[in-house]
Amino acid sequence: IIMRRLIIHAPGIHVGGGVVLLKELLSEKCLGNVCVNLDERAAAVISVPKWIELHYIPHSIIGRLKAEIYLKRISKKDDSVLCFHGLPPLLPVQGNIVVFAQNRHHFESESLSQFALKTRLRITLERLICRLFKARVHEYIVQTQSMKNSLMKWHGGSPVIKIMPLMKKLEKSENKSKLENKFDFVYVADGEFHKNHHHLISALKLLAEEEIFPSLCLTLSKRHEDIMNKIDVEIANHDLKISNIGEVSHDEIINLYRSSTALIFPSTTESFGLPLLEASQLSLPILASEKDFVRDVCTPVQTFDPQSPISISRAIKRFLKMTEQTQQIYTSSEFLNKIGFKE
């Protein structure tokens, strides 16, 4: 069946990997009869071709609700509706409803207690929407096998799920050229709790106790200024070599990969992990959590337990080719001698 029109519904997509993927999708020259409902905050980073019908969604609860009403009003039975934000429509919508599931938190039941209150409320509401209106979804699109497994387990039925990884193909010429290394490690991530900055910083503190000071570059935006303030305290107290360049463009991120020795990725959960794929395409070594989502998309040179700063620090030392002193093993006679028992 040839769909008469594609409606891309993308409220809330304005930063991070989601906006990179949406920008790539909208740059496709073969797009024909397309309508896009775009978050107004994405206007600064996404240039929508003039031939595409565009409707901006205000950043407010009322704006989101009006966008759902607008989606219901414009959809027709032959349309394909791509819910790029990962949630089913709040109202009954005509057409083939496709949900591009990009947020693993929607389908996994882990506690949200460590997240900020605003984030907890948002994810809880989104989980409820996914559960209440899942019957409206004709098919889901995910980007990894582990994401499909999570979605299948959560759904409880037999949903149509397609694994379709989407990302911008980096030019081969970028693989050949590398800028002068400015940082030992780079971590491209926002400041959400599951990104695990706290354990990464604890690992660097352990290394500092051994007089090891690898340089690290972060990309924390002003939205996570509280986290950076805490990191600044640790930098001052332990002389850590950490720089934060803030939220930058995707082109600047690519240059950041190319001016770093390796990507370190201690995240505890991801739906896709775009930086892992980008680093792989640029042949940048990867140190990452020993998690299914990592192995779905890349082969890291070192892995670690993301919940253990000791494990992270040891992986860093292995990568830097620093020997780890192993514990001496004693014979029974040596043991008795050490505790002062001698014949």
Side-chain angles (χ1 to χ4, degrees), residues 116-128:
L117 177 60
K118 184 178 179 180
T119 303
R120 291 204 305 271
L121 293 174
R122 175 179 58 79
I123 295 176
T124 299
L125 177 60
E126 289 172 347
R127 284 178 173 178
L128 181 62

Side-chain angles (χ1 to χ4, degrees), residues 42 83 90 128 155 175 210 222 246 278 281 290 301 318:
C83 298
L90 296 180
L128 181 62
H155 193 280
N175 287 322
E210 300 181 53
K222 292 181 179 179
E278 292 175 333
Q281 284 202 12
E290 185 54 66
V301 297
R318 289 195 302 271

Side-chain angles (χ1 to χ4, degrees), residues 19 43 62 95 104-105 113 115 125 144 148 159-160 202 218 221 231 235 242 256 263 270 275-276 289 315 325:
V19 77
I62 298 299
R104 196 182 292 268
H105 292 304
S113 60
F115 287 87
L125 177 60
T144 65
K148 179 179 180 179
V160 177
S202 294
L218 303 176
S221 69
I231 292 175
I235 291 173
I242 301 176
L256 182 56
L263 171 72
E270 295 289 331
L276 297 172
S289 306
Q325 185 175 358

Side-chain angles (χ1 to χ4, degrees), residues 50-320:
K50 293 181 180 180
W51 65 83
I52 291 179
E53 182 183 345
L54 179 61
H55 177 256
Y56 282 112
I57 302 171
H59 174 48
S60 66
I61 295 176
I62 298 299
R64 289 286 289 268
L65 291 175
K66 286 183 177 179
E68 295 292 328
I69 295 171
Y70 178 75
L71 179 63
K72 174 178 172 60
R73 180 167 62 84
I74 66 171
S75 63
K76 307 297 180 184
K77 66 177 183 178
D78 290 332
D79 291 341
S80 183
V81 180
L82 176 59
C83 298
F84 206 82
H85 62 319
L87 302 177
L90 296 180
L91 302 174
V93 170
Q94 296 186 70
N96 185 58
I97 310 302
V98 181
V99 169
F100 186 36
Q102 302 182 68
N103 192 337
R104 196 182 292 268
H105 292 304
H106 291 164
F107 311 115
E108 296 188 347
S109 57
E110 79 279 2
S111 171
L112 302 175
S113 60
Q114 299 294 338
F115 287 87
L117 177 60
K118 184 178 179 180
T119 303
R120 291 204 305 271
L121 293 174
R122 175 179 58 79
I123 295 176
T124 299
L125 177 60
E126 289 172 347
R127 284 178 173 178
L128 181 62
I129 292 171
C130 287
R131 179 68 66 183
L132 289 177
F133 304 122
K134 66 180 182 180
R136 292 179 179 159
V137 180
H138 296 104
E139 64 183 79
Y140 292 92
I141 293 176
V142 297
Q143 301 196 81
T144 65
Q145 182 63 50
S146 62
M147 186 65 173
K148 179 179 180 179
N149 295 342
S150 293
L151 179 50
M152 286 286 293
K153 182 179 179 181
W154 165 86
H155 193 280
S158 301
V160 177
I161 306 176
K162 296 179 180 178
I163 302 177
M164 299 172 59
L166 170 66
M167 71 170 291
K168 179 180 180 179
K169 294 290 185 182
L170 302 179
E171 297 297 330
K172 290 184 178 179
S173 60
E174 290 182 299
N175 287 322
K176 297 177 182 178
S177 61
K178 188 170 180 65
L179 304 179
E180 181 183 354
N181 285 348
K182 295 180 180 178
F183 305 103
D184 294 313
F185 300 101
V186 59
Y187 184 26
V188 178
D190 61 26
E192 295 296 346
F193 184 76
H194 68 280
K195 297 298 185 179
N196 205 24
H197 286 86
H198 54 295
H199 280 151
L200 176 58
I201 303 308
S202 294
L204 294 181
K205 287 165 57 179
L206 290 175
L207 292 173
E209 292 174 3
E210 300 181 53
E211 299 296 318
I212 301 171
F213 299 94
S215 57
L216 170 67
C217 183
L218 303 176
T219 59
L220 292 168
S221 69
K222 292 181 179 179
R223 294 181 297 114
H224 300 286
E225 190 175 2
D226 56 330
I227 296 174
M228 198 59 224
N229 289 338
K230 292 178 182 177
I231 292 175
D232 285 340
V233 173
E234 302 295 355
I235 291 173
N237 290 341
H238 302 276
D239 197 27
L240 304 181
K241 308 305 180 186
I242 301 176
S243 303
N244 180 47
I245 63 171
E247 188 175 336
V248 296
S249 71
H250 189 245
D251 287 341
E252 290 173 293
I253 291 295
I254 298 304
N255 282 332
L256 182 56
Y257 292 138
R258 295 168 61 201
S259 61
S260 302
T261 302
L263 171 72
I264 191 164
F265 206 81
S267 177
T268 58
T269 183
E270 295 289 331
S271 304
F272 190 36
L274 185 61
L276 297 172
L277 269 166
E278 292 175 333
S280 294
Q281 284 202 12
L282 294 173
S283 300
L284 184 67
I286 298 169
L287 292 74
S289 306
E290 185 54 66
K291 292 285 188 177
D292 289 346
F293 71 82
V294 172
R295 298 285 181 180
D296 279 339
V297 299
C298 73
T299 302
V301 297
Q302 295 289 343
T303 61
F304 47 75
D305 175 2
Q307 301 296 352
S308 168
I310 293 176
S311 180
I312 298 173
S313 68
R314 286 173 173 170
I316 291 174
K317 285 198 287 186
R318 289 195 302 271
F319 178 76
L320 296 175

